[in-house]
Amino acid sequence: MFYLGEITALLICWLFYCEFYWMMERKVLKACSRQYIDKRCQKTTDRLFFTPVSGKAHLGTLYYLNRLLVYYLATLTTVHLLFGWAEITQNPIRILTTFTVVLLGLFALINSSKSAEYICANINVTSKRNILLFRILSCVSVMILILVYLYFAWAYL
C-alpha cells in the first residue's frame, strides 16, 4: 500500500512541476514569439529548459531552478521505482516526497491563479465571475491535493 501511495504522490509532484513549467513557458512566450521559440528550441532538452531563449526571456534564476527540479524529480522517481518497496527506505522516501509535494505545491498554489486566467483566455471565458470561479477552484484543488497527501502519508500510514 505504501509503494502505490508514494507513486501516486510522485505523480502529484510531476503535476505540480507542470504548473511551474507552464509558468516559465508563459514568461518565455511573453518575451519571444512562438516562431522564434520553435526555430531556436528544436531538441527536447531545449524545449524543456528553454536554453536558447533563456537570455532573451530573462529567465535568470528560474532557468536554474527548472533544471534543478527536473533532475531532482527524475532522481526521486528512480529512487521510488527502485527502492520504494523496501521497508527500510520508506521513511526517507516519505520525507523526501513530503518535502517535494509541499515545495512544488507552494509553487503551484502561487501560479494556479495566473494559470486559470490563461486557460480562461484560451477557451474564451470572458465573464469576470467565471474567471474568478476558475481561479478559486484552481487554488482550492491544489491545497486539497497537498493536504490529502499529508494526511495519507503521515496520519494514515
Side-chain angles (χ1 to χ4, degrees):
M1 182 69 177
F2 172 83
Y3 184 71
L4 294 176
E6 288 300 307
I7 293 296
T8 304
L10 191 59
L11 291 174
I12 291 170
C13 290
W14 280 104
L15 179 71
F16 287 162
Y17 167 76
C18 287
E19 187 80 35
F20 177 78
Y21 177 80
W22 292 330
M23 182 260 314
M24 281 189 53
E25 186 179 38
R26 284 191 308 273
K27 186 171 177 125
V28 169
L29 284 172
K30 284 182 184 177
C32 307
S33 68
R34 177 70 69 187
Q35 293 80 17
Y36 182 82
I37 295 169
D38 290 341
K39 184 179 176 184
R40 299 280 191 263
C41 300
Q42 294 180 355
K43 294 187 272 180
T44 305
T45 56
D46 291 343
R47 294 298 254 171
L48 184 60
F49 301 125
F50 300 109
T51 303
V53 295
S54 64
K56 186 175 180 181
H58 305 292
L59 291 179
T61 308
L62 290 177
Y63 170 77
Y64 296 105
L65 186 60
N66 183 34
R67 287 186 83 93
L68 178 74
L69 287 174
V70 167
Y71 292 133
Y72 174 73
L73 282 171
T75 304
L76 191 61
T77 301
T78 304
V79 168
H80 268 80
L81 294 175
L82 293 177
F83 305 111
W85 54 269
E87 197 162 321
I88 195 166
T89 62
Q90 288 181 356
N91 280 334
I93 286 175
R94 184 180 297 157
I95 291 168
L96 286 173
T97 307
T98 300
F99 170 75
T100 307
V101 164
V102 171
L103 177 73
L104 290 174
L106 290 176
F107 282 134
L109 191 60
I110 291 167
N111 295 316
S112 65
S113 177
K114 289 186 180 183
S115 295
E117 287 177 8
Y118 187 73
I119 290 170
C120 288
N122 284 339
I123 60 173
N124 295 328
V125 175
T126 56
S127 168
K128 288 185 179 184
R129 180 176 164 258
N130 288 342
I131 292 171
L132 180 63
L133 181 65
F134 277 118
R135 289 173 69 187
I136 290 171
L137 285 174
S138 181
C139 289
V140 168
S141 66
V142 169
M143 286 190 295
I144 287 172
L145 276 174
I146 295 170
L147 294 175
V148 164
Y149 169 75
L150 291 174
Y151 172 75
F152 280 112
W154 294 98
Y156 183 69
L157 294 177

